[in-house]
Amino acid sequence: MIDQFLNKLSSLSYLSDSTRDLLKPFISIKFFEKGDFILKQEEICRDLFYIQSGFAREYYFKKGKDVTEWFAGTGSFCFSIESYFNDTPSNLIIEALEPSKVIFLSKEGLMGLDKNNIEISRLATNFFSNSLIASQRRMESIHFQSAKERYLYLIEQQPKILHKVPLSHIASFLGITQETLSRIRSKI
């Protein structure tokens, strides 16, 4: 399983066998039941999380309402960007929406190795730039796409999401009310 994870990392940026060996001590695997928190509110995010199997939701609270920020399914990474980089308590919560196997990659290990290993440095640069691009695309979709376009794109990218996530979470992620989502779905 750890070798599969290292292969995933290598798909982002080449990692030699010796570099892979350097990373192994900083990788751990944890199992979560539905409803368990991978990252709790106010916890400092000290790892990158890779969903080996399962499904998770990233969300935060705004004026007493939970607002879905992102969904992470099998083969996806997730983490709290601000908490990770600033070592501050996270407003973002990451919750397993189904039983999930999650691989943790320690920030301490990744950033420590980043200083002396060009392969790790390139990996970190590629990983974080991909994360920034995904965040920018999400913001652009909210600003420039209609609710229907955002819904259709979500269904195209994650076709099984309707079986994994309550419609209230999908509406929140799309930035619309559940009633608007119902109207969109009835017209498709």
Side-chain angles (χ1 to χ4, degrees):
M1 185 175 319
I2 288 180
D3 285 332
Q4 289 174 328
F5 175 64
L6 290 168
N7 290 341
K8 175 68 174 183
L9 294 178
S10 292
S11 74
L12 299 173
S13 184
Y14 171 77
L15 298 176
S16 65
D17 289 342
S18 59
T19 297
R20 290 164 69 111
D21 287 341
L22 290 172
L23 280 171
K24 285 180 181 177
F26 302 104
I27 298 170
S28 60
I29 302 167
K30 295 183 182 176
F31 298 89
F32 296 89
E33 295 299 325
K34 179 180 180 176
D36 286 350
F37 295 107
I38 298 167
L39 180 69
K40 296 175 183 167
Q41 187 174 20
E42 299 299 317
E43 184 178 358
I44 296 175
C45 184
R46 292 189 167 93
D47 299 276
L48 298 177
F49 309 112
Y50 177 74
I51 309 298
Q52 176 72 27
S53 63
F55 203 81
R57 173 175 81 116
E58 296 182 25
Y59 67 99
Y60 56 93
F61 287 100
K62 181 179 181 182
K63 296 180 182 176
K65 260 177 84 172
D66 70 87
V67 179
T68 300
E69 178 70 22
W70 198 257
F71 295 109
T74 297
S76 299
F77 288 93
C78 57
F79 70 119
S80 174
I81 296 170
E82 185 176 10
S83 177
Y84 185 88
F85 284 108
N86 292 335
D87 289 320
T88 55
S90 178
N91 291 321
L92 192 72
I93 301 160
I94 304 175
E95 177 186 12
L97 295 181
E98 63 185 32
S100 301
K101 188 182 308 178
V102 181
I103 297 178
F104 287 53
L105 175 58
S106 154
K107 173 187 175 181
E108 175 188 1
L110 184 65
M111 294 307 178
L113 294 171
D114 177 31
K115 296 174 187 169
N116 300 315
N117 184 301
I118 191 70
E119 291 176 16
I120 300 289
S121 182
R122 285 185 188 133
L123 171 67
T125 299
N126 288 344
F127 177 83
F128 295 122
S129 62
N130 286 340
S131 179
L132 285 169
I133 289 167
S135 292
Q136 182 174 341
R137 284 184 183 152
R138 168 132 168 79
M139 289 307 301
E140 287 175 353
S141 77
I142 289 171
H143 290 297
F144 301 116
Q145 291 181 323
S146 69
K148 180 181 177 182
E149 289 171 325
R150 291 193 306 272
Y151 175 73
L152 292 173
Y153 183 76
L154 177 64
I155 299 306
E156 176 188 309
Q157 295 301 305
Q158 297 190 46
K160 296 180 181 176
I161 198 163
L162 293 174
H163 305 293
K164 295 179 177 283
V165 178
L167 291 177
S168 60
H169 294 338
I170 292 173
S172 172
F173 175 73
L174 296 173
I176 59 177
T177 65
Q178 201 166 340
E179 292 78 19
T180 300
L181 178 58
S182 294
R183 281 194 297 277
I184 290 169
R185 293 185 62 201
S186 71
K187 293 177 182 177
I188 296 176

